[in-house]
Amino acid sequence: MAQKPAAGGVSELSGLTKSAILMISLGPEKSSKIFQNLKEEEIEALTLEIANTRNISQTVKDQVIDEFYQVCLAQQFISEGGIGYAKDLLEKALGSDKAVDIISKLTASLQVRPFEFVRKTEASVLLNFIQDEHPQTIALILSYLSASQAAGVISSLPPDKQVDVAKRIATMDRTSPDVIKEVERVLERKLVSLVNQDYTIAGGIDAVVEILNSVDRGTERHILETLETEQPELADEIRKKMFVFEDILTLDDKSIQRVLREVDNNDLAIALKGSNEEVQAAIFKNMSTRLAQMIKEDMDFMGPVRMKDVEEAQQKIVNIIRKLEDASEIIISRGGGDEVIV
């Protein structure tokens, strides 16, 4: 049961406990109106907390009400002019430390990412709902999804739209909560789901890199090659953060040898079948003469190989490289100097 907190005030109480104290302080009539706007599970949790809350002093009740008022005031300021505007007004009214504390609590409570309902939807189903939307709308939605889910959607888009959407994700920065809310509302109407508003940053180079790292090789190549023609600087930024099969040339000999220990020889032969002589040379010099000769013979005997099979084999090897990188067993250098991606 909730007791009067120590001298530190209400700061040690959980949000649920403070909500229960607020409901008790407001009384049955006003509290009932608040309950009408809560979800069933929230009502259940809050009711149980109220039942278990006892011996709350008037001082604590006053502190909880005061904090609630300050948060409501901050929300009003944010809706009028944004977080920066709210912080300025609260600093004038309550002082810098108090303003920062309130804004921190409020923004923390808002960190429910948009399009949460979409994350449980199959990529193929989602594609049916958004493929005819404007590329900017598709880019916004994909920026908030997992990389694998976004990859499933972007891979199925027409080639010209793939590039357009990838470009928009890469150049996206902050998006107005009102815009997000409107897109969510439209999508909600289509999927009949519950949505939330968010103030977080979406998109950017890292977002499109993560998505491109998850799509099939053909989609990845098409998007990057088209971007190199249309926006070479953007394509260069994206490539600096990616790792494709040909980037094996950037690994040192020790790292290549570590990778080869994990690679299936058949996959390697197929992958090298579609690579240039420079890549082949880098691979062969890091294995025994006998094994290199065996791989070369396999490549000769297998004859023509479908591009799809080559790309799949190369992607398997790239995935192994990324796995070893994540485990810090190898390091991929980027951009020269001391800059590395670990």
Side-chain angles (χ1 to χ4, degrees), residues 117-133 141-142 145 148-150 152-154 156-157 187 190-193:
F117 62 95
V118 180
R119 293 188 183 91
K120 297 180 181 179
T121 305
E122 291 290 334
S124 57
V125 176
L126 179 59
L127 178 68
N128 291 331
F129 286 101
I130 70 172
Q131 61 183 347
D132 295 326
E133 297 288 343
I141 295 171
L142 297 190
L145 304 184
S148 59
Q149 191 179 20
V153 174
I154 202 171
S156 301
L157 293 173
L187 207 54
K190 292 182 177 181
L191 298 179
V192 194
S193 301

mmCIF file of all heavy atoms in Angstrom, residues 117-133 141-142 145 148-150 152-154 156-157 187 190-193:
data_model
loop_
_atom_site.group_PDB
_atom_site.id
_atom_site.type_symbol
_atom_site.label_atom_id
_atom_site.label_comp_id
_atom_site.label_asym_id
_atom_site.label_seq_id
_atom_site.Cartn_x
_atom_site.Cartn_y
_atom_site.Cartn_z
ATOM 1 N N PHE A 117 0.553 -0.117 -34.460
ATOM 2 C CA PHE A 117 -0.393 -1.125 -34.926
ATOM 3 C C PHE A 117 0.069 -1.784 -36.223
ATOM 4 O O PHE A 117 -0.268 -2.930 -36.511
ATOM 5 C CB PHE A 117 -1.773 -0.494 -35.141
ATOM 6 C CG PHE A 117 -1.802 0.580 -36.194
ATOM 7 C CD1 PHE A 117 -2.155 0.284 -37.501
ATOM 8 C CD2 PHE A 117 -1.461 1.881 -35.877
ATOM 9 C CE1 PHE A 117 -2.176 1.272 -38.466
ATOM 10 C CE2 PHE A 117 -1.489 2.871 -36.832
ATOM 11 C CZ PHE A 117 -1.840 2.572 -38.135
ATOM 12 N N VAL A 118 0.853 -1.074 -37.034
ATOM 13 C CA VAL A 118 1.285 -1.602 -38.325
ATOM 14 C C VAL A 118 2.357 -2.672 -38.149
ATOM 15 O O VAL A 118 2.520 -3.545 -38.988
ATOM 16 C CB VAL A 118 1.809 -0.463 -39.226
ATOM 17 C CG1 VAL A 118 2.259 -1.005 -40.569
ATOM 18 C CG2 VAL A 118 0.730 0.583 -39.429
ATOM 19 N N ARG A 119 3.091 -2.632 -37.032
ATOM 20 C CA ARG A 119 4.218 -3.550 -36.844
ATOM 21 C C ARG A 119 3.774 -5.004 -36.730
ATOM 22 O O ARG A 119 4.590 -5.907 -36.847
ATOM 23 C CB ARG A 119 5.025 -3.144 -35.602
ATOM 24 C CG ARG A 119 5.721 -1.810 -35.783
ATOM 25 C CD ARG A 119 6.673 -1.499 -34.632
ATOM 26 N NE ARG A 119 7.252 -0.186 -34.814
ATOM 27 C CZ ARG A 119 6.722 0.921 -34.326
ATOM 28 N NH1 ARG A 119 5.630 0.847 -33.595
ATOM 29 N NH2 ARG A 119 7.283 2.092 -34.537
ATOM 30 N N LYS A 120 2.505 -5.236 -36.484
ATOM 31 C CA LYS A 120 1.992 -6.596 -36.411
ATOM 32 C C LYS A 120 1.365 -7.035 -37.741
ATOM 33 O O LYS A 120 0.800 -8.113 -37.839
ATOM 34 C CB LYS A 120 0.958 -6.707 -35.287
ATOM 35 C CG LYS A 120 1.532 -6.430 -33.902
ATOM 36 C CD LYS A 120 0.469 -6.553 -32.837
ATOM 37 C CE LYS A 120 1.043 -6.247 -31.447
ATOM 38 N NZ LYS A 120 0.010 -6.349 -30.390
ATOM 39 N N THR A 121 1.474 -6.182 -38.752
ATOM 40 C CA THR A 121 0.867 -6.462 -40.048
ATOM 41 C C THR A 121 1.909 -7.029 -41.003
ATOM 42 O O THR A 121 3.032 -6.540 -41.080
ATOM 43 C CB THR A 121 0.276 -5.162 -40.657
ATOM 44 O OG1 THR A 121 -0.635 -4.572 -39.720
ATOM 45 C CG2 THR A 121 -0.457 -5.472 -41.956
ATOM 46 N N GLU A 122 1.550 -8.064 -41.731
ATOM 47 C CA GLU A 122 2.452 -8.644 -42.718
ATOM 48 C C GLU A 122 2.802 -7.597 -43.778
ATOM 49 O O GLU A 122 1.949 -6.803 -44.178
ATOM 50 C CB GLU A 122 1.801 -9.859 -43.389
ATOM 51 C CG GLU A 122 1.624 -11.068 -42.477
ATOM 52 C CD GLU A 122 2.962 -11.719 -42.138
ATOM 53 O OE1 GLU A 122 3.908 -11.577 -42.933
ATOM 54 O OE2 GLU A 122 3.045 -12.363 -41.080
ATOM 55 N N ALA A 123 4.059 -7.648 -44.245
ATOM 56 C CA ALA A 123 4.512 -6.670 -45.237
ATOM 57 C C ALA A 123 3.649 -6.708 -46.492
ATOM 58 O O ALA A 123 3.332 -5.669 -47.086
ATOM 59 C CB ALA A 123 5.981 -6.929 -45.592
ATOM 60 N N SER A 124 3.235 -7.932 -46.898
ATOM 61 C CA SER A 124 2.421 -8.060 -48.108
ATOM 62 C C SER A 124 1.055 -7.412 -47.935
ATOM 63 O O SER A 124 0.506 -6.815 -48.869
ATOM 64 C CB SER A 124 2.244 -9.541 -48.463
ATOM 65 O OG SER A 124 1.657 -10.254 -47.389
ATOM 66 N N VAL A 125 0.504 -7.520 -46.726
ATOM 67 C CA VAL A 125 -0.802 -6.907 -46.440
ATOM 68 C C VAL A 125 -0.655 -5.389 -46.399
ATOM 69 O O VAL A 125 -1.465 -4.655 -46.976
ATOM 70 C CB VAL A 125 -1.367 -7.424 -45.106
ATOM 71 C CG1 VAL A 125 -2.675 -6.703 -44.760
ATOM 72 C CG2 VAL A 125 -1.596 -8.925 -45.177
ATOM 73 N N LEU A 126 0.388 -4.925 -45.721
ATOM 74 C CA LEU A 126 0.623 -3.486 -45.612
ATOM 75 C C LEU A 126 0.837 -2.871 -46.989
ATOM 76 O O LEU A 126 0.360 -1.765 -47.274
ATOM 77 C CB LEU A 126 1.837 -3.227 -44.721
ATOM 78 C CG LEU A 126 2.246 -1.770 -44.526
ATOM 79 C CD1 LEU A 126 1.114 -0.959 -43.920
ATOM 80 C CD2 LEU A 126 3.489 -1.685 -43.642
ATOM 81 N N LEU A 127 1.546 -3.600 -47.859
ATOM 82 C CA LEU A 127 1.813 -3.103 -49.203
ATOM 83 C C LEU A 127 0.519 -2.790 -49.954
ATOM 84 O O LEU A 127 0.425 -1.785 -50.654
ATOM 85 C CB LEU A 127 2.632 -4.134 -49.983
ATOM 86 C CG LEU A 127 2.953 -3.779 -51.441
ATOM 87 C CD1 LEU A 127 3.917 -2.595 -51.493
ATOM 88 C CD2 LEU A 127 3.543 -4.984 -52.163
ATOM 89 N N ASN A 128 -0.486 -3.634 -49.776
ATOM 90 C CA ASN A 128 -1.762 -3.418 -50.458
ATOM 91 C C ASN A 128 -2.421 -2.108 -50.053
ATOM 92 O O ASN A 128 -3.149 -1.500 -50.837
ATOM 93 C CB ASN A 128 -2.723 -4.578 -50.155
ATOM 94 C CG ASN A 128 -2.276 -5.873 -50.797
ATOM 95 O OD1 ASN A 128 -1.626 -5.859 -51.844
ATOM 96 N ND2 ASN A 128 -2.600 -6.994 -50.181
ATOM 97 N N PHE A 129 -2.154 -1.667 -48.825
ATOM 98 C CA PHE A 129 -2.785 -0.456 -48.321
ATOM 99 C C PHE A 129 -2.016 0.812 -48.677
ATOM 100 O O PHE A 129 -2.607 1.888 -48.773
ATOM 101 C CB PHE A 129 -2.946 -0.537 -46.799
ATOM 102 C CG PHE A 129 -4.030 -1.471 -46.361
ATOM 103 C CD1 PHE A 129 -3.728 -2.740 -45.893
ATOM 104 C CD2 PHE A 129 -5.363 -1.099 -46.415
ATOM 105 C CE1 PHE A 129 -4.725 -3.611 -45.493
ATOM 106 C CE2 PHE A 129 -6.369 -1.958 -46.015
ATOM 107 C CZ PHE A 129 -6.054 -3.220 -45.556
ATOM 108 N N ILE A 130 -0.710 0.700 -48.844
ATOM 109 C CA ILE A 130 0.082 1.930 -49.001
ATOM 110 C C ILE A 130 0.773 2.082 -50.352
ATOM 111 O O ILE A 130 1.350 3.132 -50.626
ATOM 112 C CB ILE A 130 1.151 2.042 -47.888
ATOM 113 C CG1 ILE A 130 2.258 0.999 -48.067
ATOM 114 C CG2 ILE A 130 0.518 1.932 -46.520
ATOM 115 C CD1 ILE A 130 3.419 1.183 -47.113
ATOM 116 N N GLN A 131 0.734 1.069 -51.214
ATOM 117 C CA GLN A 131 1.513 1.137 -52.455
ATOM 118 C C GLN A 131 1.079 2.278 -53.378
ATOM 119 O O GLN A 131 1.878 2.765 -54.184
ATOM 120 C CB GLN A 131 1.430 -0.190 -53.198
ATOM 121 C CG GLN A 131 0.037 -0.615 -53.612
ATOM 122 C CD GLN A 131 0.049 -1.979 -54.285
ATOM 123 O OE1 GLN A 131 1.097 -2.504 -54.659
ATOM 124 N NE2 GLN A 131 -1.125 -2.573 -54.441
ATOM 125 N N ASP A 132 -0.180 2.703 -53.260
ATOM 126 C CA ASP A 132 -0.655 3.793 -54.107
ATOM 127 C C ASP A 132 -0.537 5.162 -53.436
ATOM 128 O O ASP A 132 -0.959 6.176 -54.010
ATOM 129 C CB ASP A 132 -2.119 3.547 -54.514
ATOM 130 C CG ASP A 132 -2.266 2.303 -55.392
ATOM 131 O OD1 ASP A 132 -1.344 2.039 -56.176
ATOM 132 O OD2 ASP A 132 -3.289 1.601 -55.283
ATOM 133 N N GLU A 133 0.001 5.185 -52.208
ATOM 134 C CA GLU A 133 0.171 6.456 -51.507
ATOM 135 C C GLU A 133 1.341 7.241 -52.108
ATOM 136 O O GLU A 133 2.183 6.691 -52.827
ATOM 137 C CB GLU A 133 0.441 6.210 -50.009
ATOM 138 C CG GLU A 133 -0.702 5.537 -49.267
ATOM 139 C CD GLU A 133 -1.890 6.461 -49.068
ATOM 140 O OE1 GLU A 133 -1.724 7.691 -49.201
ATOM 141 O OE2 GLU A 133 -2.991 5.951 -48.770
ATOM 142 N N ILE A 141 5.985 6.195 -43.223
ATOM 143 C CA ILE A 141 5.528 4.970 -42.563
ATOM 144 C C ILE A 141 6.675 3.982 -42.401
ATOM 145 O O ILE A 141 6.889 3.421 -41.311
ATOM 146 C CB ILE A 141 4.381 4.329 -43.366
ATOM 147 C CG1 ILE A 141 3.149 5.254 -43.364
ATOM 148 C CG2 ILE A 141 4.003 2.964 -42.789
ATOM 149 C CD1 ILE A 141 2.047 4.817 -44.300
ATOM 150 N N LEU A 142 7.454 3.772 -43.468
ATOM 151 C CA LEU A 142 8.549 2.804 -43.407
ATOM 152 C C LEU A 142 9.626 3.208 -42.408
ATOM 153 O O LEU A 142 10.295 2.357 -41.818
ATOM 154 C CB LEU A 142 9.183 2.627 -44.792
ATOM 155 C CG LEU A 142 8.287 2.046 -45.892
ATOM 156 C CD1 LEU A 142 9.123 1.709 -47.124
ATOM 157 C CD2 LEU A 142 7.534 0.824 -45.414
ATOM 158 N N LEU A 145 8.978 1.607 -39.086
ATOM 159 C CA LEU A 145 8.870 0.155 -39.011
ATOM 160 C C LEU A 145 10.231 -0.472 -38.770
ATOM 161 O O LEU A 145 11.264 0.183 -38.884
ATOM 162 C CB LEU A 145 8.273 -0.387 -40.311
ATOM 163 C CG LEU A 145 6.907 0.168 -40.738
ATOM 164 C CD1 LEU A 145 6.426 -0.559 -41.985
ATOM 165 C CD2 LEU A 145 5.887 0.033 -39.621
ATOM 166 N N SER A 148 13.440 -5.083 -41.296
ATOM 167 C CA SER A 148 13.001 -6.252 -42.071
ATOM 168 C C SER A 148 11.612 -6.037 -42.653
ATOM 169 O O SER A 148 11.337 -6.419 -43.796
ATOM 170 C CB SER A 148 13.010 -7.504 -41.188
ATOM 171 O OG SER A 148 12.153 -7.340 -40.067
ATOM 172 N N GLN A 149 10.716 -5.422 -41.869
ATOM 173 C CA GLN A 149 9.358 -5.177 -42.362
ATOM 174 C C GLN A 149 9.377 -4.130 -43.472
ATOM 175 O O GLN A 149 8.714 -4.285 -44.502
ATOM 176 C CB GLN A 149 8.455 -4.721 -41.214
ATOM 177 C CG GLN A 149 6.973 -4.692 -41.578
ATOM 178 C CD GLN A 149 6.107 -4.248 -40.409
ATOM 179 O OE1 GLN A 149 6.596 -3.620 -39.473
ATOM 180 N NE2 GLN A 149 4.829 -4.581 -40.454
ATOM 181 N N ALA A 150 10.151 -3.061 -43.252
ATOM 182 C CA ALA A 150 10.256 -2.021 -44.277
ATOM 183 C C ALA A 150 10.888 -2.577 -45.542
ATOM 184 O O ALA A 150 10.496 -2.211 -46.662
ATOM 185 C CB ALA A 150 11.071 -0.850 -43.742
ATOM 186 N N GLY A 152 10.627 -5.619 -46.671
ATOM 187 C CA GLY A 152 9.625 -6.407 -47.373
ATOM 188 C C GLY A 152 8.710 -5.551 -48.222
ATOM 189 O O GLY A 152 8.293 -5.950 -49.310
ATOM 190 N N VAL A 153 8.409 -4.357 -47.728
ATOM 191 C CA VAL A 153 7.531 -3.443 -48.464
ATOM 192 C C VAL A 153 8.275 -2.805 -49.629
ATOM 193 O O VAL A 153 7.814 -2.808 -50.770
ATOM 194 C CB VAL A 153 6.964 -2.349 -47.534
ATOM 195 C CG1 VAL A 153 6.163 -1.322 -48.346
ATOM 196 C CG2 VAL A 153 6.065 -2.968 -46.466
ATOM 197 N N ILE A 154 9.454 -2.245 -49.349
ATOM 198 C CA ILE A 154 10.170 -1.504 -50.385
ATOM 199 C C ILE A 154 10.620 -2.414 -51.526
ATOM 200 O O ILE A 154 10.700 -1.993 -52.683
ATOM 201 C CB ILE A 154 11.376 -0.740 -49.780
ATOM 202 C CG1 ILE A 154 11.789 0.420 -50.691
ATOM 203 C CG2 ILE A 154 12.549 -1.659 -49.532
ATOM 204 C CD1 ILE A 154 12.815 1.350 -50.069
ATOM 205 N N SER A 156 8.948 -4.743 -52.819
ATOM 206 C CA SER A 156 7.790 -5.055 -53.665
ATOM 207 C C SER A 156 7.253 -3.846 -54.409
ATOM 208 O O SER A 156 6.315 -3.971 -55.195
ATOM 209 C CB SER A 156 6.666 -5.658 -52.787
ATOM 210 O OG SER A 156 7.104 -6.825 -52.135
ATOM 211 N N LEU A 157 7.817 -2.675 -54.162
ATOM 212 C CA LEU A 157 7.387 -1.475 -54.867
ATOM 213 C C LEU A 157 7.966 -1.458 -56.284
ATOM 214 O O LEU A 157 8.984 -2.104 -56.544
ATOM 215 C CB LEU A 157 7.856 -0.219 -54.123
ATOM 216 C CG LEU A 157 7.229 0.054 -52.750
ATOM 217 C CD1 LEU A 157 7.936 1.239 -52.086
ATOM 218 C CD2 LEU A 157 5.736 0.334 -52.870
ATOM 219 N N LEU A 187 -4.509 5.662 -42.120
ATOM 220 C CA LEU A 187 -4.138 4.256 -42.104
ATOM 221 C C LEU A 187 -4.987 3.482 -41.100
ATOM 222 O O LEU A 187 -5.338 2.321 -41.322
ATOM 223 C CB LEU A 187 -2.651 4.123 -41.755
ATOM 224 C CG LEU A 187 -1.934 2.882 -42.290
ATOM 225 C CD1 LEU A 187 -2.110 2.761 -43.794
ATOM 226 C CD2 LEU A 187 -0.463 2.932 -41.942
ATOM 227 N N LYS A 190 -8.166 2.449 -42.518
ATOM 228 C CA LYS A 190 -8.029 1.318 -43.427
ATOM 229 C C LYS A 190 -7.825 0.009 -42.672
ATOM 230 O O LYS A 190 -8.338 -1.033 -43.051
ATOM 231 C CB LYS A 190 -6.851 1.547 -44.386
ATOM 232 C CG LYS A 190 -7.072 2.678 -45.385
ATOM 233 C CD LYS A 190 -5.874 2.801 -46.315
ATOM 234 C CE LYS A 190 -6.100 3.866 -47.371
ATOM 235 N NZ LYS A 190 -4.957 3.994 -48.307
ATOM 236 N N LEU A 191 -7.022 0.046 -41.635
ATOM 237 C CA LEU A 191 -6.672 -1.176 -40.913
ATOM 238 C C LEU A 191 -7.494 -1.399 -39.650
ATOM 239 O O LEU A 191 -7.363 -2.425 -38.988
ATOM 240 C CB LEU A 191 -5.183 -1.159 -40.550
ATOM 241 C CG LEU A 191 -4.205 -1.112 -41.722
ATOM 242 C CD1 LEU A 191 -2.771 -1.072 -41.215
ATOM 243 C CD2 LEU A 191 -4.398 -2.317 -42.617
ATOM 244 N N VAL A 192 -8.327 -0.403 -39.299
ATOM 245 C CA VAL A 192 -9.172 -0.479 -38.102
ATOM 246 C C VAL A 192 -8.328 -0.823 -36.880
ATOM 247 O O VAL A 192 -8.498 -1.872 -36.253
ATOM 248 C CB VAL A 192 -10.296 -1.527 -38.271
ATOM 249 C CG1 VAL A 192 -11.349 -1.358 -37.194
ATOM 250 C CG2 VAL A 192 -10.934 -1.408 -39.632
ATOM 251 N N SER A 193 -7.357 0.050 -36.561
ATOM 252 C CA SER A 193 -6.456 -0.192 -35.446
ATOM 253 C C SER A 193 -6.316 1.057 -34.600
ATOM 254 O O SER A 193 -6.727 2.145 -34.983
ATOM 255 C CB SER A 193 -5.081 -0.623 -35.959
ATOM 256 O OG SER A 193 -5.199 -1.793 -36.725
#
